[in-house]
Amino acid sequence: MSSLSFSDPERTIEFEFVRATENAALNVIHWLGRGEKEAADAAACDAIYGVFDLVDIAGEVVIGEGIKDNAPGIFLGEQLGTWRTGSPRFDIALDPVDGTSNTANGLPNAISVMAASERLEGEAHAMKNLPTFYSTKMAYGPAVVSAIAKGMEPLHLDDPLEVTLKRLAEALGKRVPELVIMTLNRPRHADVIAQVRKCGAALRLISDGDITAAVSPSLADSGVDLYWGIGGSPEGILTAAALKALGGEMLLRMWPRDAEERASVLQETTEEELARVYTIHELVRGQSAIFCATGISDSPLLPGVRLIGKKAITHSILMRAKSRTVRYIRADHDLENKTIHLRSVQRDANI
């Protein structure tokens, strides 16, 4: 960026985020199906660093990734951008590869994803940083939000799924057997899976990538009506940024994995906070929110990277909460001419 005088920095910076997730997806695609999830994650991080090393923003990572399994990652508190004097300030949440296991195994449902919120001088962080590794989440789309606003009994995280699905069907004008529920295929979800099947609704199990899954009910053509599951807390914040732009909603509560994590978390928060159910506007406060993602492998959200000879086709989504604008971006990349800026290469060049 050559000028920082624009009144709305969000509009000047949003496509840099797309460029970062595009380059991450392109740098990762050669790891698809090779069984090396940490190498794939490292490749994505390298490309994201490489883009922001050249962009005049002051970006602070307030929601990082990689902490859960000590994988390579871009971590909490890191700085992205040049941080030159006068650069616009942004809080950043990211997951360079949401669906690392899927990427390693050549499976669908992997994306590179980022979110950002402008942070004005003197303001606190706009994005809630949750201390637990995992959270319980229930996400639904704008039609359900509208039905609740018109007087329908709200959905509650602790309601039996039989009650939730009846209410969901009412909001969507469907019968319960016509509903499609998505969740992660995990042992911890055995009871949820059993309840959905007992109610007669259709079930879509995924092995990884719950950002895409939680956003899906807010996409008209996804074929998914509800997401319910226990997944990563950082991914919940990224989902909240997307849902602010799409008009959907998510209910989220922290989920300590065991007594040891619970005791550790209670050293920095309270029992009341641990039991609290957050909405998207409490997870990402204020009007400013950008969400972008690029498909690595095919998902309900986006097609994956297509390699055709010496060209690559990427599909990305870019959303802004202020304007409720959602852009779908197809890009054709000539790999003989395209430069994917990598921090590792730039550092090697400077040695």
Side-chain angles (χ1 to χ4, degrees):
M1 298 192 319
S2 59
S3 173
L4 301 173
S5 61
F6 296 93
S7 60
D8 187 357
E10 247 190 32
R11 296 190 66 183
T12 68
I13 200 66
E14 57 185 345
F15 285 100
E16 300 294 349
F17 284 90
V18 175
R19 186 171 289 111
T21 58
E22 277 182 352
N23 282 5
L26 288 169
N27 209 38
V28 164
I29 195 61
H30 301 292
W31 291 103
L32 190 67
R34 294 178 182 260
E36 299 281 352
K37 71 176 187 177
E38 292 193 3
D41 220 12
C45 294
D46 199 6
I48 289 171
Y49 281 132
V51 169
F52 283 101
D53 284 346
L54 304 174
V55 177
D56 288 343
I57 66 165
E60 180 182 353
V61 176
V62 297
I63 307 294
E65 65 87 42
I67 299 172
K68 288 199 296 280
D69 52 7
N70 296 316
I74 300 176
F75 295 101
L76 181 68
E78 288 198 53
Q79 294 184 347
L80 296 179
T82 64
W83 280 71
R84 291 178 182 165
T85 302
S87 296
R89 185 78 179 267
F90 282 88
D91 286 349
I92 294 174
L94 78 171
D95 197 343
V97 181
D98 179 44
T100 50
S101 294
N102 287 6
T103 301
N105 294 317
L107 296 173
N109 226 36
I111 60 174
S112 179
V113 57
M114 301 187 74
S117 183
E118 186 182 2
R119 184 177 171 194
L120 301 179
E121 189 68 33
E123 285 189 348
H125 289 305
M127 296 176 177
K128 178 74 174 176
N129 187 20
L130 302 171
T132 55
F133 291 151
Y134 293 105
S135 292
T136 302
K137 313 168 199 177
M138 179 168 66
Y140 48 87
V144 183
V145 173
S146 177
I148 292 170
K150 291 175 181 176
M152 188 186 84
E153 178 70 20
L155 305 187
H156 300 288
L157 203 54
D158 290 322
D159 281 346
L161 269 176
E162 180 182 5
V163 173
T164 297
L165 297 188
K166 285 180 179 178
R167 228 168 264 161
L168 182 70
E170 175 190 343
L172 298 176
K174 295 183 175 184
R175 298 179 302 114
V176 170
E178 295 172 330
L179 296 175
V180 177
I181 315 304
M182 183 172 279
T183 191
L184 287 162
N185 189 6
R186 298 287 190 274
R188 61 180 178 263
H189 293 152
D191 184 56
V192 175
I193 292 168
Q195 286 187 60
V196 171
R197 287 173 173 162
K198 182 179 178 181
C199 292
L203 189 64
R204 299 287 184 270
L205 295 175
I206 58 171
S207 60
D208 206 357
D210 75 339
I211 296 173
T212 293
V215 170
S216 292
S218 293
L219 301 172
D221 58 352
S222 73
V224 177
D225 299 306
L226 183 77
Y227 172 75
W228 200 105
I230 298 167
S233 294
E235 288 85 348
I237 311 305
L238 285 153
T239 299
L243 296 184
K244 282 175 75 81
L246 292 169
E249 183 57 278
M250 178 178 62
L251 306 178
L252 179 149
R253 182 173 56 215
M254 290 184 278
W255 187 80
R257 293 169 295 175
D258 51 34
E260 183 180 354
E261 184 184 2
R262 183 182 183 86
S264 174
V265 167
L266 285 174
Q267 293 179 7
E268 54 183 295
T269 190
T270 64
E271 288 279 4
E272 290 76 17
E273 280 291 295
L274 201 55
R276 179 177 175 179
V277 176
Y278 292 92
T279 65
I280 58 171
H281 299 292
E282 293 165 329
L283 295 170
V284 181
R285 297 179 292 274
Q287 292 185 328
S288 172
I290 299 168
F291 174 94
C292 74
T294 301
I296 296 171
S297 59
D298 291 345
S299 73
L301 182 64
L302 292 162
V305 178
R306 299 284 188 270
L307 293 174
I308 305 170
K310 297 186 182 299
K311 295 185 182 295
I313 299 170
T314 57
H315 294 266
S316 303
I317 191 169
L318 172 63
M319 313 181 196
R320 290 185 73 216
K322 283 182 183 177
S323 61
R324 287 279 182 93
T325 300
V326 180
R327 291 182 171 92
Y328 288 90
I329 303 165
R330 169 184 158 138
D332 289 31
H333 307 269
D334 184 334
L335 299 178
E336 290 189 303
N337 290 287
K338 182 178 181 65
T339 299
I340 298 176
H341 293 283
L342 303 175
R343 173 176 283 185
S344 60
V345 173
Q346 293 175 39
R347 282 180 171 172
D348 289 346
N350 291 327
I351 291 176

